[in-house]
Amino acid sequence: MKTLFEEIKASIKNNYNQDRSFWRPVLPWGGVFTIKAGRKAVSCTPLYVEIRLKNTCTIDGFLMLLYVILHENENFPRELSLHLGREFIDCFLYLMDTYSFTTVKLLWIWDKMEKQQYKSEVHKASLIIDLFGNEHDNFTKNLENLMSTMQESYCSNWRCPTRVQEDQQRTININPPQEIPHGNLIRLAVDELFCSKIELCEEHGYNKTLVNRNPANRDPHLTGFFQHSSFRRKRCGGLREFSQRVFCHGAPPFVVLNMQLWKSEDLAYVPYYLDLSDHK
């Protein structure tokens, strides 16, 4: 029997439609896992004999893409094992190869997700797991050790209230451009996040001024009615230099870009094309 990946490659090679620009596979929605209990099975309270999955679309697409990515490059399983664990990678690939879609979803839920990330309840004889939410909460958030980045910045103004800063991000959030430039929009947005740059420092500090409580007396030696009580917010005005953003745990084999702020009309300018080849 052919593996799932072999079936995917065959379906693409047999597609002669040259106008095809994007092929997006996803796992079947939901799933039911039946628990086969033997004579010596210990009953639990509450008792359930099957597990039903709901609203799995928040992980279906990413799990399929993860499967394709791991099969596309022979080095990826080894590299990704450093982040996700070798046992998980081996089980994941075996279950996907054998079309065990419900089981592979349960593997992701119980091995990579926290209990508070999903809802579960027992209804009659079924344990119902509801993955209602979004892709970030249910998938990319569980890859934080893979996507964590750090960037340092220094201000040229010695009086800057926060002259040295360190910005850490657990996901790769890229913002759409203000204007539609020429070239690859995603590449430009990624460069904007990762490349070193120099910008005007936006930090604000307080300047303390001496206030005369008795305007009739202008000489501070003649009156004691002076106090430091007036504060003015003032922009730093220095130049802040940002270093190149780096991955906290080394460069990952692949990255997932969070593009929640992008509009559909922005992405219309991006040429989508996914092709599977025998050689990378």
Side-chain angles (χ1 to χ4, degrees):
M1 183 179 69
K2 290 185 177 180
T3 66
L4 175 62
F5 187 71
E6 292 172 340
E7 290 287 355
I8 292 173
K9 293 182 68 174
S11 66
I12 291 180
K13 290 181 178 180
N14 294 332
N15 189 344
Y16 296 102
N17 184 5
Q18 299 299 323
D19 294 331
R20 171 179 49 83
S21 60
F22 187 51
W23 179 75
R24 181 174 54 188
V26 295
L27 295 180
W29 187 91
V32 178
F33 182 84
T34 303
I35 300 174
K36 298 179 180 179
R39 293 181 179 179
K40 297 182 180 181
V42 178
S43 63
C44 58
T45 305
L47 176 66
Y48 55 87
V49 295
E50 68 176 11
I51 302 174
R52 289 185 175 272
L53 303 180
K54 294 175 54 179
N55 297 314
T56 59
C57 50
T58 55
I59 65 173
D60 290 341
F62 275 113
L63 289 177
M64 179 63 89
L65 289 176
L66 178 61
Y67 174 68
V68 172
I69 288 172
L70 288 170
H71 265 295
E72 271 255 75
N73 190 310
E74 60 182 9
N75 294 324
F76 277 8
R78 176 178 54 82
E79 295 176 8
L80 203 55
S81 296
L82 301 176
H83 301 275
L84 300 181
R86 183 67 193 181
E87 184 177 357
F88 171 82
I89 295 298
D90 290 342
C91 290
F92 175 80
L93 289 175
Y94 172 78
L95 293 173
M96 290 292 290
D97 284 341
T98 56
Y99 307 85
S100 303
F101 300 135
T102 301
T103 309
V104 81
K105 294 178 187 183
L106 289 173
L107 173 68
W108 177 263
I109 292 170
W110 286 336
D111 194 84
K112 297 305 175 186
M113 294 181 66
E114 301 291 339
K115 182 65 176 67
Q116 61 270 20
Q117 288 183 272
Y118 59 88
K119 296 180 180 180
S120 62
E121 64 176 353
V122 175
H123 179 68
K124 295 183 179 180
S126 299
L127 172 65
I128 301 176
I129 297 178
D130 191 347
L131 297 180
F132 180 80
N134 57 59
E135 289 82 355
H136 171 68
D137 290 337
N138 292 341
F139 191 87
T140 57
K141 192 175 182 179
N142 300 286
L143 299 175
E144 289 181 348
N145 63 331
L146 197 71
M147 306 298 166
S148 295
T149 61
M150 186 268 293
Q151 184 179 47
E152 296 179 337
S153 66
Y154 305 86
C155 181
S156 61
N157 184 2
W158 285 87
R159 296 182 178 180
C160 180
T162 52
R163 185 167 183 261
V164 180
Q165 295 181 1
E166 183 179 283
D167 176 50
Q168 290 191 2
Q169 296 185 13
R170 295 184 177 182
T171 55
I172 302 178
N173 301 299
I174 60 173
N175 299 319
Q178 299 296 328
E179 299 178 356
I180 302 299
H182 296 289
N184 190 319
L185 299 187
I186 297 180
R187 167 59 61 183
L188 294 174
V190 171
D191 289 343
E192 175 69 18
L193 177 65
F194 278 87
C195 291
S196 57
K197 56 189 175 183
I198 298 178
E199 297 179 353
L200 189 65
C201 184
E202 298 292 336
E203 295 299 317
H204 288 77
Y206 288 94
N207 278 0
K208 192 185 302 181
T209 59
L210 192 66
V211 175
N212 185 351
R213 295 177 61 189
N214 187 354
N217 298 320
R218 299 300 180 183
D219 190 345
H221 297 289
L222 301 177
T223 179
F225 295 94
F226 285 84
Q227 63 180 5
H228 297 287
S229 61
S230 178
F231 296 87
R232 292 186 304 167
R233 284 183 62 84
K234 183 180 179 181
R235 179 172 294 181
C236 170
L239 293 178
R240 181 165 293 277
E241 181 177 356
F242 294 84
S243 66
Q244 184 177 9
R245 183 175 293 275
V246 297
F247 287 95
C248 298
H249 307 288
F254 71 94
V255 296
V256 178
L257 304 179
N258 189 334
M259 304 174 64
Q260 290 181 325
L261 298 180
W262 292 61
K263 300 178 181 178
S264 57
E265 52 266 30
D266 296 329
L267 296 176
Y269 292 88
V270 180
Y272 287 103
Y273 185 75
L274 175 63
D275 195 9
L276 303 179
S277 57
D278 293 328
H279 304 284
K280 197 68 176 174

